[in-house]
Amino acid sequence: MTNQTIATAVGRYIRTSPSKVRRVLDQIRGKSYTEAVLILQFMPYRSSRLILQVLQSAASNAEHNYGIAKSKLQIVNTYGDKGPILKRFRPRAQGRGYPIRKPTCHITVQVQEKIT
């Protein structure tokens, strides 16, 4: 990485699996902001809507904090980390309890001005 300013946005405690988020993040890593927004709008996955919100937040941070136009942004780094797992129980036959794991994740998107 260069010594340019990097704007970051983090979506925390999002109720979806990190593996489902990572497959979408791999598609937009390294792309320009406008191209990534188009990709995310037409992807059939639920996590793409959540990632789009975080990406738009990162672009707004870059525009507000550093004065970089959204059209000049490029996605530098994206990752989906594992968050805490909500543990629940579902009743089953003969008085048993069956554990249910509801995973959460933290989505991080970093953008910077395109190097031309």
Side-chain angles (χ1 to χ4, degrees), residues 28-100:
I28 64 167
R29 192 175 291 121
K31 303 256 191 308
S32 68
Y33 171 74
T34 52
E35 188 178 356
V37 168
L38 282 173
I39 290 170
L40 290 173
Q41 284 177 341
F42 293 104
M43 273 193 153
Y45 304 117
R46 178 178 169 263
S47 62
S48 62
R49 310 286 181 265
L50 303 168
I51 293 169
L52 181 61
Q53 287 180 336
V54 178
L55 177 61
Q56 288 171 338
S57 176
S60 295
N61 289 343
E63 191 173 40
H64 181 267
N65 297 339
Y66 305 116
I68 304 169
K70 289 183 180 180
S71 60
K72 295 181 180 181
L73 290 175
Q74 180 178 9
I75 298 171
V76 179
N77 201 357
T78 60
Y79 44 91
D81 294 327
K82 193 167 109 173
I85 295 173
L86 304 175
K87 293 179 176 131
R88 303 290 183 259
F89 284 95
R90 179 171 301 286
R92 299 302 291 229
Q94 299 178 0
R96 292 185 177 92
Y98 187 77
I100 296 175

